């Protein structure tokens, strides 16, 4: 019969409409802006609207979510920063849209290149968030960030991130990617053990 599709569609809309009020009553005061409410709307049992009230509410990011890369530095006991990057250039080489530029540092006395970046730029407008730079880096120096709120008014001036903008402490990396961090820490410990056994065998 003509018009049945429209009636069925309206029925679905009204069901959602009333389910929303029903769930609002059942979860009075807890359905919005609380973790419980967010979990409820994300569950398969949810009724009514399940939209997120962004930016007041934000979805928790899964650990493997990736956005723009950042450079990791280790926090030394004396408070100094040890930048892990050796400016080897592998990340720039594998980056598909070629949005990484690295300027290698040089020794002020000899003029010879040293294994650290003087400058490190990423054009975040071009970055396609593929994560290849982080996959290929042999020194665990570059990781994919979770921060996706990067809107600016002047993207031409502000969306080419320099070294200072890209640098973040290893504690930040451990916080957003605890599983990857723990796996890498295990690999480093094993590598150190193998190194020490080899050194003892040479003696
Ligand atoms: S981030 Fe990693 S791959 Fe890129 S230049 Fe630095 S050490 Fe090399
Ligand atoms: S995430 Fe992909 S596109 Fe972005 S800088 Fe890394 S390799 Fe390049």
């Amino acid at each position: 019969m003509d018009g049945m599709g429209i009636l069925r569609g309206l029925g679905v809309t009204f069901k959602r409409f009333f389910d929303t009020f029903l769930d609002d009553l059942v979860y009075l005061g807890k359905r919005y802006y609380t973790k419980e409410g967010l979990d409820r709307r994300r569950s398969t049992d949810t009724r009514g609207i399940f939209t997120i009230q962004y930016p007041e509410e934000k979805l928790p990011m899964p650990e493997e979510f990736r956005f723009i890369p950042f450079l990791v530095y280790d926090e030394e006991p004396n408070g100094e920063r040890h930048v892990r990057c050796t400016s080897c250039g592998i990340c720039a080489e594998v980056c598909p849209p070629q949005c990484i530029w690295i300027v290698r540092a040089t020794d002020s006395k000899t003029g010879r290149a040293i294994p650290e970046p003087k400058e490190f730029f990423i054009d975040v407008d071009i970055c396609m968030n593929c994560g290849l730079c982080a996959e290929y880096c042999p020194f665990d120096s570059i990781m994919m960030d979770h921060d996706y709120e990067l809107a600016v008014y002047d993207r031409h001036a502000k969306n080419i991130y320099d070294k200072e903008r890209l640098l973040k402490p290893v504690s930040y990396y451990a916080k957003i990617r605890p599983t990857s961090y723990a796996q890498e820490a295990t690999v480093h410990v094993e590598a150190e053990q193998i190194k020490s056994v080899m050194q003892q065998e040479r003696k």
Side-chain angles (χ1 to χ4, degrees):
M1 195 176 97
D2 284 350
M4 279 308 287
I6 293 174
L7 287 177
R8 269 201 296 271
L10 283 172
V12 170
T13 306
F14 275 115
K15 183 172 181 321
R16 284 275 172 203
F17 184 73
F18 288 114
D19 280 350
T20 301
F21 281 107
L22 201 62
D23 239 26
D24 280 358
L25 286 174
V26 174
Y27 287 84
L28 195 62
K30 291 184 288 183
R31 195 164 192 268
Y32 305 97
Y33 314 117
T34 64
K35 184 176 179 314
E36 189 185 352
L38 198 57
D39 289 345
R40 165 81 186 158
R41 272 171 289 146
R42 293 174 69 218
S43 81
T44 49
D45 302 330
T46 193
R47 290 185 299 190
I49 60 164
F50 44 81
T51 43
I52 303 298
Q53 312 297 312
Y54 182 84
E56 289 81 12
E57 291 180 321
K58 289 172 193 169
L59 286 173
M61 288 298 114
E63 185 172 338
E64 289 307 320
F65 173 76
R66 51 174 201 259
F67 208 54
I68 300 299
F70 67 97
L71 291 173
V72 181
Y73 69 82
D74 291 307
E75 297 149 304
E76 303 292 348
N78 61 5
E80 283 186 10
R81 300 188 311 188
H82 171 251
V83 179
R84 290 184 178 184
C85 177
T86 62
S87 67
C88 68
I90 290 174
C91 55
E93 204 59 42
V94 299
C95 173
Q98 296 285 283
C99 62
I100 301 178
W101 295 273
I102 303 165
V103 180
R104 196 165 231 204
T106 50
D107 188 307
S108 55
K109 289 188 191 131
T110 63
R112 296 178 71 169
I114 51 175
E116 62 186 69
K118 182 178 174 210
E119 293 294 348
F120 199 113
F121 299 102
I122 296 181
D123 187 334
V124 301
D125 280 338
I126 295 176
C127 173
M128 59 186 208
N129 325 112
C130 65
L132 283 181
C133 49
E135 286 289 323
Y136 277 86
C137 175
F139 303 100
D140 300 328
S141 317
I142 189 163
M143 302 292 167
M144 300 306 289
D145 210 340
H146 284 184
D147 186 12
Y148 55 84
E149 293 180 310
L150 307 177
V152 290
Y153 284 105
D154 185 357
R155 68 191 181 94
H156 296 296
K158 296 197 172 130
N159 278 359
I160 296 181
Y161 288 11
D162 63 9
K163 191 171 93 173
E164 279 312 305
R165 175 75 174 76
L166 289 166
L167 278 172
K168 294 193 175 177
V170 70
S171 52
Y172 175 77
Y173 165 46
K175 186 171 144 223
I176 65 165
R177 294 184 177 273
T179 312
S180 308
Y181 176 75
Q183 282 167 349
E184 277 163 27
T186 310
V187 169
H188 286 163
V189 168
E190 284 171 2
E192 284 302 315
Q193 283 168 348
I194 292 168
K195 210 162 106 186
S196 126
V197 169
M198 286 169 72
Q199 278 169 350
Q200 279 171 359
E201 282 174 356
R202 277 200 211 110
K203 283 180 190 166

